[in-house]
Amino acid sequence: QVQLVESGGGLVQPGGSLRLSCAASGSIFSIDTMGWYRQVPGKQRELVAASISGGNTNYVDSVKGRFTISRDNDKNAVYLQMNSLKPEDTAVYYCHARVVHYSKYSFDYWGQGTQVTVSS
């Protein structure tokens, strides 16, 4: 009953920028955490950036200083501004949200994934 719809991926040259967007809708009491993960075929999924309710953020070391996560709680949306992109950033990026339902139980939800390709 909760869906996450993400967009913004594409093909970009090294050094370029992309902005990913994700919005959650459905039966939501609150959202504790929203974030972005990425995965390359044959490699384990990794957390790229997370925004926790209360204002805390964290990033994987490889994107610090280049990526910025932001959140709009009124829209249940999260964004990832990606600058100075490198070929090693190429992956499928997945939006994630830990949603608290009105029952006060929490569940994890995932977006459909968007491909980011950094190549010349």
Side-chain angles (χ1 to χ4, degrees):
Q1 63 187 208
V2 172
Q3 65 176 15
L4 275 60
V5 178
E6 57 183 283
S7 62
L11 175 64
V12 66
Q13 299 265 41
S17 297
L18 286 172
R19 182 175 175 85
L20 305 183
S21 300
C22 174
S25 61
S27 181
I28 299 170
F29 176 76
S30 65
I31 301 178
D32 287 334
T33 302
M34 297 192 81
W36 294 92
Y37 291 74
R38 66 187 180 188
Q39 189 166 26
V40 177
K43 188 178 179 180
Q44 187 175 358
R45 180 188 65 186
E46 69 172 351
L47 175 68
V48 179
S51 176
I52 302 170
S53 180
N56 292 328
T57 61
N58 63 282
Y59 300 87
V60 66
D61 286 343
S62 61
V63 310
K64 288 181 178 177
R66 300 188 297 119
F67 291 10
T68 303
I69 189 169
S70 60
R71 187 167 168 179
D72 186 338
N73 291 324
D74 291 335
K75 298 180 179 179
N76 288 327
V78 65
Y79 310 92
L80 186 67
Q81 179 66 46
M82 305 184 293
N83 298 326
S84 302
L85 283 161
K86 303 175 180 179
E88 50 263 45
D89 295 318
T90 296
V92 177
Y93 284 70
Y94 294 93
C95 177
H96 165 265
R98 179 162 292 173
V99 175
V100 182
H101 293 279
Y102 288 95
S103 65
K104 304 302 176 68
Y105 282 85
S106 296
F107 295 91
D108 293 332
Y109 294 91
W110 297 90
Q112 79 279 9
T114 185
Q115 176 71 47
V116 172
T117 302
V118 184
S119 177
S120 59

